[in-house]
Short mmCIF file of all heavy atoms in Angstrom, two decimals:
data_model
loop_
_atom_site.label_atom_id
_atom_site.label_comp_id
_atom_site.label_asym_id
_atom_site.label_seq_id
_atom_site.Cartn_x
_atom_site.Cartn_y
_atom_site.Cartn_z
N PHE A 1472 92.06 68.80 132.00
CA PHE A 1472 91.35 68.88 130.72
C PHE A 1472 90.79 70.43 130.64
O PHE A 1472 90.87 71.03 129.60
CB PHE A 1472 90.09 67.95 130.65
CG PHE A 1472 90.48 66.75 129.98
CD1 PHE A 1472 90.69 65.45 130.60
CD2 PHE A 1472 90.64 66.74 128.57
CE1 PHE A 1472 91.00 64.37 129.92
CE2 PHE A 1472 90.96 65.57 127.84
CZ PHE A 1472 91.09 64.40 128.47
N VAL A 1473 90.23 70.89 131.68
CA VAL A 1473 89.67 72.34 131.69
C VAL A 1473 90.87 73.30 131.34
O VAL A 1473 90.72 74.30 130.49
CB VAL A 1473 89.01 72.70 132.92
CG1 VAL A 1473 88.64 74.12 133.01
CG2 VAL A 1473 87.76 71.78 133.13
N THR A 1474 91.98 73.13 132.04
CA THR A 1474 93.16 74.01 131.88
C THR A 1474 93.65 73.97 130.46
O THR A 1474 93.98 74.99 129.84
CB THR A 1474 94.26 73.67 132.86
OG1 THR A 1474 93.73 73.75 134.20
CG2 THR A 1474 95.38 74.62 132.77
N ALA A 1475 93.75 72.67 129.97
CA ALA A 1475 94.24 72.45 128.60
C ALA A 1475 93.28 73.06 127.57
O ALA A 1475 93.75 73.75 126.59
CB ALA A 1475 94.48 71.02 128.31
N THR A 1476 92.01 72.96 127.81
CA THR A 1476 91.02 73.58 126.85
C THR A 1476 91.17 75.05 126.82
O THR A 1476 91.16 75.62 125.75
CB THR A 1476 89.61 73.09 127.33
OG1 THR A 1476 89.51 71.74 127.28
CG2 THR A 1476 88.52 73.77 126.51
N ARG A 1477 91.33 75.69 127.96
CA ARG A 1477 91.38 77.23 127.98
C ARG A 1477 92.71 77.60 127.30
O ARG A 1477 92.73 78.55 126.52
CB ARG A 1477 91.40 77.77 129.36
CG ARG A 1477 90.02 77.54 130.02
CD ARG A 1477 90.12 78.01 131.54
NE ARG A 1477 88.83 77.91 132.20
CZ ARG A 1477 88.61 78.11 133.43
NH1 ARG A 1477 89.65 78.45 134.25
NH2 ARG A 1477 87.37 77.95 133.97
N ARG A 1478 93.76 76.90 127.51
CA ARG A 1478 95.05 77.21 126.87
C ARG A 1478 95.02 77.02 125.34
O ARG A 1478 95.48 77.89 124.58
CB ARG A 1478 96.17 76.32 127.46
CG ARG A 1478 97.56 76.72 126.95
CD ARG A 1478 98.64 75.94 127.69
NE ARG A 1478 98.61 74.44 127.39
CZ ARG A 1478 98.20 73.56 128.25
NH1 ARG A 1478 97.84 73.85 129.45
NH2 ARG A 1478 98.26 72.29 127.89
N VAL A 1479 94.42 76.01 124.94
CA VAL A 1479 94.24 75.71 123.46
C VAL A 1479 93.30 76.75 122.79
O VAL A 1479 93.54 77.16 121.62
CB VAL A 1479 93.84 74.27 123.22
CG1 VAL A 1479 93.50 74.01 121.76
CG2 VAL A 1479 94.95 73.32 123.60
N GLN A 1480 92.31 77.11 123.45
CA GLN A 1480 91.34 78.07 122.93
C GLN A 1480 92.07 79.43 122.70
O GLN A 1480 92.01 80.05 121.64
CB GLN A 1480 90.14 78.24 123.79
CG GLN A 1480 89.10 77.13 123.80
CD GLN A 1480 87.95 77.37 124.72
OE1 GLN A 1480 88.14 78.05 125.76
NE2 GLN A 1480 86.76 76.72 124.47
N LYS A 1481 92.84 79.78 123.67
CA LYS A 1481 93.64 81.03 123.62
C LYS A 1481 94.68 80.99 122.49
O LYS A 1481 94.88 81.89 121.73
CB LYS A 1481 94.27 81.37 124.92
CG LYS A 1481 95.07 82.63 124.97
CD LYS A 1481 95.63 82.91 126.36
CE LYS A 1481 96.39 84.17 126.43
NZ LYS A 1481 96.99 84.43 127.71
N LEU A 1482 95.24 79.79 122.37
CA LEU A 1482 96.28 79.58 121.28
C LEU A 1482 95.69 79.67 119.94
O LEU A 1482 96.19 80.36 119.00
CB LEU A 1482 96.98 78.24 121.47
CG LEU A 1482 98.00 77.81 120.51
CD1 LEU A 1482 99.20 78.79 120.47
CD2 LEU A 1482 98.47 76.44 120.65
N ALA A 1483 94.42 79.04 119.71
CA ALA A 1483 93.80 79.02 118.40
C ALA A 1483 93.33 80.52 118.08
O ALA A 1483 93.48 80.90 116.95
CB ALA A 1483 92.57 78.17 118.48
N VAL A 1484 92.81 81.15 119.01
CA VAL A 1484 92.41 82.60 118.82
C VAL A 1484 93.58 83.49 118.47
O VAL A 1484 93.56 84.31 117.52
CB VAL A 1484 91.71 83.26 119.99
CG1 VAL A 1484 91.41 84.67 119.83
CG2 VAL A 1484 90.37 82.43 120.24
N GLY A 1485 94.70 83.30 119.16
CA GLY A 1485 95.86 84.08 118.89
C GLY A 1485 96.44 83.84 117.49
O GLY A 1485 96.76 84.77 116.75
N ARG A 1486 96.47 82.60 117.11
CA ARG A 1486 97.02 82.26 115.77
C ARG A 1486 96.06 82.75 114.65
O ARG A 1486 96.56 83.17 113.64
CB ARG A 1486 97.18 80.75 115.68
CG ARG A 1486 98.31 80.16 116.49
CD ARG A 1486 98.47 78.65 116.34
NE ARG A 1486 99.66 78.15 117.01
CZ ARG A 1486 99.92 76.82 117.18
NH1 ARG A 1486 99.07 75.98 116.77
NH2 ARG A 1486 101.00 76.48 117.80
N ALA A 1487 94.74 82.70 114.89
CA ALA A 1487 93.88 83.12 113.92
C ALA A 1487 93.98 84.68 113.69
O ALA A 1487 93.82 85.21 112.68
CB ALA A 1487 92.42 82.81 114.30
N LEU A 1488 94.17 85.38 114.86
CA LEU A 1488 94.33 86.82 114.76
C LEU A 1488 95.59 87.19 113.99
O LEU A 1488 95.63 88.00 113.10
CB LEU A 1488 94.51 87.42 116.20
CG LEU A 1488 94.61 88.95 116.34
CD1 LEU A 1488 93.36 89.69 115.86
CD2 LEU A 1488 94.95 89.32 117.77
N SER A 1489 96.70 86.53 114.24
CA SER A 1489 97.91 86.63 113.48
C SER A 1489 97.68 86.38 111.98
O SER A 1489 98.22 87.13 111.16
CB SER A 1489 99.10 85.81 114.10
OG SER A 1489 100.27 85.92 113.35
N SER A 1490 96.95 85.33 111.69
CA SER A 1490 96.72 84.92 110.32
C SER A 1490 95.94 85.98 109.61
O SER A 1490 96.22 86.35 108.45
CB SER A 1490 95.97 83.59 110.26
OG SER A 1490 95.53 83.25 108.96
N ALA A 1491 94.98 86.64 110.27
CA ALA A 1491 94.24 87.67 109.66
C ALA A 1491 95.02 88.96 109.37
O ALA A 1491 95.02 89.50 108.31
CB ALA A 1491 93.03 88.05 110.53
N PHE A 1492 95.94 89.26 110.31
CA PHE A 1492 96.76 90.41 110.14
C PHE A 1492 97.79 90.22 108.92
O PHE A 1492 98.35 91.23 108.44
CB PHE A 1492 97.55 90.81 111.43
CG PHE A 1492 96.78 91.70 112.31
CD1 PHE A 1492 96.33 91.30 113.59
CD2 PHE A 1492 96.47 93.04 111.88
CE1 PHE A 1492 95.59 92.23 114.39
CE2 PHE A 1492 95.76 93.89 112.75
CZ PHE A 1492 95.34 93.41 113.93
N GLN A 1493 98.14 89.00 108.59
CA GLN A 1493 99.08 88.78 107.49
C GLN A 1493 98.53 89.23 106.23
O GLN A 1493 99.31 89.44 105.32
CB GLN A 1493 99.38 87.24 107.40
CG GLN A 1493 99.93 86.61 108.64
CD GLN A 1493 101.10 87.40 109.27
OE1 GLN A 1493 102.16 87.69 108.60
NE2 GLN A 1493 100.96 87.81 110.44
N LYS A 1494 97.20 89.44 106.15
CA LYS A 1494 96.59 89.94 104.83
C LYS A 1494 96.43 91.38 104.84
O LYS A 1494 95.95 91.99 103.91
CB LYS A 1494 95.24 89.29 104.72
CG LYS A 1494 95.34 87.75 104.72
CD LYS A 1494 93.93 87.17 104.90
CE LYS A 1494 94.04 85.64 105.14
NZ LYS A 1494 92.77 84.88 105.34
N ILE A 1495 96.97 92.11 105.80
CA ILE A 1495 96.86 93.57 105.93
C ILE A 1495 98.25 94.24 105.78
O ILE A 1495 99.19 93.81 106.36
CB ILE A 1495 96.26 93.96 107.24
CG1 ILE A 1495 94.82 93.45 107.39
CG2 ILE A 1495 96.27 95.51 107.41
CD1 ILE A 1495 94.19 93.66 108.72
N LEU A 1496 98.36 95.21 104.83
CA LEU A 1496 99.57 95.97 104.63
C LEU A 1496 99.29 97.40 105.09
O LEU A 1496 98.27 97.97 104.74
CB LEU A 1496 99.94 95.98 103.18
CG LEU A 1496 100.22 94.54 102.56
CD1 LEU A 1496 100.53 94.75 101.03
CD2 LEU A 1496 101.37 93.83 103.23
N LEU A 1497 100.30 97.93 105.87
CA LEU A 1497 100.24 99.31 106.29
C LEU A 1497 101.11 100.15 105.43
O LEU A 1497 102.30 99.89 105.30
CB LEU A 1497 100.62 99.47 107.79
CG LEU A 1497 99.85 98.57 108.78
CD1 LEU A 1497 100.49 98.77 110.24
CD2 LEU A 1497 98.42 99.00 108.80
N VAL A 1498 100.57 101.12 104.79
CA VAL A 1498 101.35 101.99 103.88
C VAL A 1498 101.56 103.36 104.62
O VAL A 1498 100.61 104.16 104.87
CB VAL A 1498 100.67 102.24 102.55
CG1 VAL A 1498 101.53 102.99 101.67
CG2 VAL A 1498 100.31 100.92 101.86
N VAL A 1499 102.78 103.54 105.12
CA VAL A 1499 103.12 104.79 105.90
C VAL A 1499 103.60 105.84 104.98
O VAL A 1499 104.64 105.67 104.31
CB VAL A 1499 104.18 104.42 106.92
CG1 VAL A 1499 104.34 105.67 107.86
CG2 VAL A 1499 103.69 103.25 107.86
N LEU A 1500 102.85 106.92 104.84
CA LEU A 1500 103.17 108.00 104.02
C LEU A 1500 104.22 108.97 104.65
O LEU A 1500 104.47 108.95 105.90
CB LEU A 1500 101.96 108.87 103.65
CG LEU A 1500 100.84 107.87 103.04
CD1 LEU A 1500 99.54 108.80 102.80
CD2 LEU A 1500 101.21 107.19 101.79
N GLU A 1501 104.79 109.85 103.79
CA GLU A 1501 105.93 110.85 104.32
C GLU A 1501 105.31 111.69 105.41
O GLU A 1501 105.96 112.04 106.36
CB GLU A 1501 106.41 111.59 103.15
CG GLU A 1501 107.35 110.80 102.25
CD GLU A 1501 108.00 111.68 101.12
OE1 GLU A 1501 107.65 112.89 101.10
OE2 GLU A 1501 108.91 111.17 100.51
N ASN A 1502 104.05 112.07 105.32
CA ASN A 1502 103.40 112.97 106.25
C ASN A 1502 103.05 112.33 107.56
O ASN A 1502 102.45 112.96 108.40
CB ASN A 1502 102.25 113.78 105.62
CG ASN A 1502 101.18 112.80 105.17
OD1 ASN A 1502 101.26 111.62 105.48
ND2 ASN A 1502 100.20 113.32 104.47
N GLY A 1503 103.32 111.00 107.67
CA GLY A 1503 102.97 110.27 108.84
C GLY A 1503 101.64 109.61 108.81
O GLY A 1503 101.33 108.75 109.69
N LYS A 1504 100.83 109.96 107.89
CA LYS A 1504 99.49 109.28 107.75
C LYS A 1504 99.62 107.87 107.28
O LYS A 1504 100.64 107.54 106.64
CB LYS A 1504 98.60 110.00 106.74
CG LYS A 1504 98.18 111.44 107.33
CD LYS A 1504 97.24 112.13 106.38
CE LYS A 1504 96.82 113.50 106.87
NZ LYS A 1504 95.81 114.15 106.02
N VAL A 1505 98.60 107.03 107.60
CA VAL A 1505 98.75 105.62 107.32
C VAL A 1505 97.56 105.16 106.44
O VAL A 1505 96.42 105.44 106.70
CB VAL A 1505 98.66 104.77 108.61
CG1 VAL A 1505 98.71 103.23 108.27
CG2 VAL A 1505 99.88 105.07 109.42
N ALA A 1506 97.88 104.63 105.34
CA ALA A 1506 96.85 103.96 104.42
C ALA A 1506 96.87 102.41 104.59
O ALA A 1506 97.96 101.96 105.09
CB ALA A 1506 97.04 104.36 102.94
N VAL A 1507 95.88 101.73 104.29
CA VAL A 1507 95.84 100.28 104.42
C VAL A 1507 95.46 99.56 103.15
O VAL A 1507 94.56 100.08 102.44
CB VAL A 1507 94.76 99.94 105.46
CG1 VAL A 1507 94.68 98.43 105.65
CG2 VAL A 1507 95.17 100.54 106.82
N GLU A 1508 96.11 98.54 102.86
CA GLU A 1508 95.76 97.72 101.70
C GLU A 1508 95.53 96.32 102.16
O GLU A 1508 96.16 95.77 103.07
CB GLU A 1508 96.98 97.75 100.70
CG GLU A 1508 97.14 99.15 100.02
CD GLU A 1508 98.20 99.15 98.90
OE1 GLU A 1508 98.70 97.98 98.64
OE2 GLU A 1508 98.48 100.17 98.39
N TYR A 1509 94.58 95.54 101.39
CA TYR A 1509 94.41 94.16 101.60
C TYR A 1509 95.33 93.37 100.67
O TYR A 1509 95.29 93.64 99.49
CB TYR A 1509 92.94 93.83 101.42
CG TYR A 1509 92.58 92.41 101.59
CD1 TYR A 1509 92.32 91.86 102.82
CD2 TYR A 1509 92.53 91.44 100.53
CE1 TYR A 1509 91.95 90.58 103.01
CE2 TYR A 1509 92.25 90.17 100.75
CZ TYR A 1509 91.99 89.70 101.96
OH TYR A 1509 91.69 88.38 102.19
N SER A 1510 96.00 92.46 101.12
CA SER A 1510 97.08 91.75 100.39
C SER A 1510 96.32 90.53 99.80
O SER A 1510 95.98 89.51 100.49
CB SER A 1510 98.19 91.27 101.26
OG SER A 1510 99.04 90.44 100.51
N SER A 1511 95.95 90.55 98.52
CA SER A 1511 95.32 89.43 97.86
C SER A 1511 96.24 88.26 97.58
O SER A 1511 95.71 87.11 97.47
CB SER A 1511 94.76 89.87 96.38
OG SER A 1511 95.88 90.35 95.69
N SER A 1512 97.50 88.46 97.83
CA SER A 1512 98.42 87.26 97.67
C SER A 1512 98.21 86.28 98.79
O SER A 1512 98.63 85.13 98.72
CB SER A 1512 99.90 87.80 97.69
OG SER A 1512 100.21 88.40 98.83
N HIS A 1513 97.65 86.74 99.90
CA HIS A 1513 97.48 85.89 101.10
C HIS A 1513 95.94 85.42 101.13
O HIS A 1513 95.49 84.94 102.23
CB HIS A 1513 97.77 86.60 102.44
CG HIS A 1513 99.24 86.88 102.51
ND1 HIS A 1513 99.75 88.12 102.13
CD2 HIS A 1513 100.32 86.18 102.92
CE1 HIS A 1513 101.12 88.08 102.29
NE2 HIS A 1513 101.47 86.85 102.79
N GLU A 1514 95.22 85.68 100.10
CA GLU A 1514 93.75 85.36 100.11
C GLU A 1514 93.57 83.86 100.17
O GLU A 1514 94.27 83.10 99.50
CB GLU A 1514 93.08 85.95 98.92
CG GLU A 1514 91.51 85.90 99.07
CD GLU A 1514 90.91 86.80 97.96
OE1 GLU A 1514 91.62 87.40 97.15
OE2 GLU A 1514 89.69 86.78 97.89
N GLU A 1515 92.60 83.47 101.01
CA GLU A 1515 92.28 81.99 101.14
C GLU A 1515 90.87 81.74 100.82
O GLU A 1515 90.01 82.67 100.81
CB GLU A 1515 92.63 81.52 102.65
CG GLU A 1515 94.01 81.74 103.00
CD GLU A 1515 94.30 81.56 104.50
OE1 GLU A 1515 93.21 81.26 105.24
OE2 GLU A 1515 95.38 81.61 104.92
N PRO A 1516 90.46 80.51 100.50
CA PRO A 1516 89.07 80.14 100.23
C PRO A 1516 88.14 80.61 101.26
O PRO A 1516 86.92 80.89 100.96
CB PRO A 1516 89.14 78.58 99.98
CG PRO A 1516 90.48 78.37 99.67
CD PRO A 1516 91.35 79.33 100.36
N THR A 1517 88.52 80.52 102.55
CA THR A 1517 87.62 80.83 103.67
C THR A 1517 87.33 82.42 103.69
O THR A 1517 86.28 82.76 104.28
CB THR A 1517 88.33 80.51 105.00
OG1 THR A 1517 89.58 81.04 105.10
CG2 THR A 1517 88.38 79.03 105.12
N ASP A 1518 88.09 83.19 102.94
CA ASP A 1518 87.77 84.60 103.00
C ASP A 1518 86.52 85.00 102.30
O ASP A 1518 85.84 85.97 102.61
CB ASP A 1518 88.90 85.38 102.20
CG ASP A 1518 90.20 85.33 102.91
OD1 ASP A 1518 90.17 85.00 104.12
OD2 ASP A 1518 91.29 85.50 102.38
N SER A 1519 86.06 84.21 101.34
CA SER A 1519 84.87 84.48 100.55
C SER A 1519 83.63 83.68 101.06
O SER A 1519 82.53 83.82 100.60
CB SER A 1519 85.08 84.19 99.08
OG SER A 1519 85.50 82.83 98.89
N LEU A 1520 83.79 82.76 102.03
CA LEU A 1520 82.72 81.99 102.58
C LEU A 1520 81.79 82.83 103.39
O LEU A 1520 82.27 83.59 104.23
CB LEU A 1520 83.20 80.78 103.37
CG LEU A 1520 83.87 79.66 102.68
CD1 LEU A 1520 84.43 78.61 103.63
CD2 LEU A 1520 82.83 78.89 101.66
N PRO A 1521 80.44 82.59 103.31
CA PRO A 1521 79.54 83.21 104.23
C PRO A 1521 79.74 82.70 105.62
O PRO A 1521 80.36 81.68 105.79
CB PRO A 1521 78.14 82.79 103.73
CG PRO A 1521 78.41 82.24 102.32
CD PRO A 1521 79.72 81.78 102.29
N GLU A 1522 79.37 83.57 106.61
CA GLU A 1522 79.64 83.12 108.02
C GLU A 1522 78.98 81.81 108.35
O GLU A 1522 79.51 81.02 109.10
CB GLU A 1522 79.17 84.27 108.92
CG GLU A 1522 80.09 85.44 109.06
CD GLU A 1522 79.77 86.33 110.14
OE1 GLU A 1522 79.15 85.93 111.20
OE2 GLU A 1522 80.17 87.41 110.14
N GLU A 1523 77.78 81.49 107.79
CA GLU A 1523 77.11 80.25 108.09
C GLU A 1523 77.85 79.12 107.65
O GLU A 1523 77.96 78.10 108.40
CB GLU A 1523 75.72 80.33 107.42
CG GLU A 1523 74.76 81.40 107.98
CD GLU A 1523 74.96 82.76 107.47
OE1 GLU A 1523 75.77 82.93 106.53
OE2 GLU A 1523 74.46 83.78 108.09
#
Side-chain angles (χ1 to χ4, degrees):
F1472 263 108
V1473 172
T1474 303
T1476 296
R1477 291 176 178 173
R1478 184 171 69 251
V1479 170
Q1480 286 177 334
K1481 184 177 180 180
L1482 178 63
V1484 171
R1486 287 178 174 175
L1488 182 67
S1489 175
S1490 174
F1492 271 117
Q1493 301 313 300
K1494 302 168 187 176
I1495 296 173
L1496 301 177
L1497 303 176
V1498 183
V1499 183
L1500 308 177
E1501 286 186 353
N1502 58 8
K1504 292 185 178 180
V1505 178
V1507 177
E1508 292 184 4
Y1509 180 84
S1510 176
S1511 58
S1512 62
H1513 296 95
E1514 192 169 359
E1515 300 170 355
T1517 52
D1518 293 340
S1519 58
L1520 286 176
E1522 284 193 21
E1523 293 74 16

